[in-house]
Amino acid sequence: QVHLVESGGGSVQAGESLVLTCGVSGSIYVHNSAGWYRQPPGNERELVATINSVGRTNYADSVKGRFTISRDNAENTVYLQMKNLKPEDTAVYYCTVGSFIGSTYYPSSRWGQGTQVTVSS
């Protein structure tokens, strides 16, 4: 089974930056892609960014130009660099591993505990 551990969240002011880190271990060989989700308070979980096996990235419109997803395959680590944070970015952030079928990302059934990001104005 896959084990995911997110870290790097915190409380920041609007305009500041954070880098989230996700350590991945376990049976990851079947999963060639990764993605970050977030769940704002009182809202549903949403897909924020994905990266596929060849490094192609995709972002939700709300974070384009501000967030960058990357991966270090040697270290089994996925990152989410977040710049110019806004109060509406406040959420619990989760990383996932998964696969693409066509242009659709399908995360595995395993999720980490998430990391809280709070942005104040």
Side-chain angles (χ1 to χ4, degrees), residues 38-41 46 87-93 115-119:
R38 68 184 181 187
Q39 186 164 18
E46 60 179 353
E88 51 264 43
D89 295 319
T90 295
V92 179
Y93 284 73
T115 186
Q116 176 71 47
V117 172
T118 302
V119 185

Side-chain angles (χ1 to χ4, degrees), residues 9-121:
S11 296
V12 297
Q13 297 287 321
E16 294 185 341
S17 302
L18 282 173
V19 178
L20 304 184
T21 300
C22 176
V24 185
S25 60
S27 303
I28 64 173
Y29 61 93
V30 295
H31 306 292
N32 56 23
S33 301
W36 284 93
Y37 287 78
R38 68 184 181 187
Q39 186 164 18
N43 287 293
E44 294 185 353
R45 199 170 289 180
E46 60 179 353
L47 182 59
V48 173
T50 60
I51 184 166
N52 71 4
S53 59
V54 295
R56 180 175 296 174
T57 58
N58 223 332
Y59 300 93
D61 288 343
S62 58
V63 306
K64 277 181 183 175
R66 300 188 299 119
F67 288 15
T68 302
I69 186 172
S70 61
R71 62 194 294 175
D72 183 336
N73 291 332
E75 297 294 329
N76 288 336
T77 304
V78 183
Y79 303 97
L80 185 67
Q81 182 178 32
M82 305 184 295
K83 297 180 179 179
N84 190 21
L85 283 161
K86 304 176 180 180
E88 51 264 43
D89 295 319
T90 295
V92 179
Y93 284 73
Y94 301 89
C95 83
T96 64
V97 292
S99 304
F100 276 90
I101 299 178
S103 61
T104 302
Y105 175 70
Y106 292 90
S108 73
S109 59
R110 299 288 294 181
W111 292 69
Q113 82 289 349
T115 186
Q116 176 71 47
V117 172
T118 302
V119 185
S120 55
S121 57

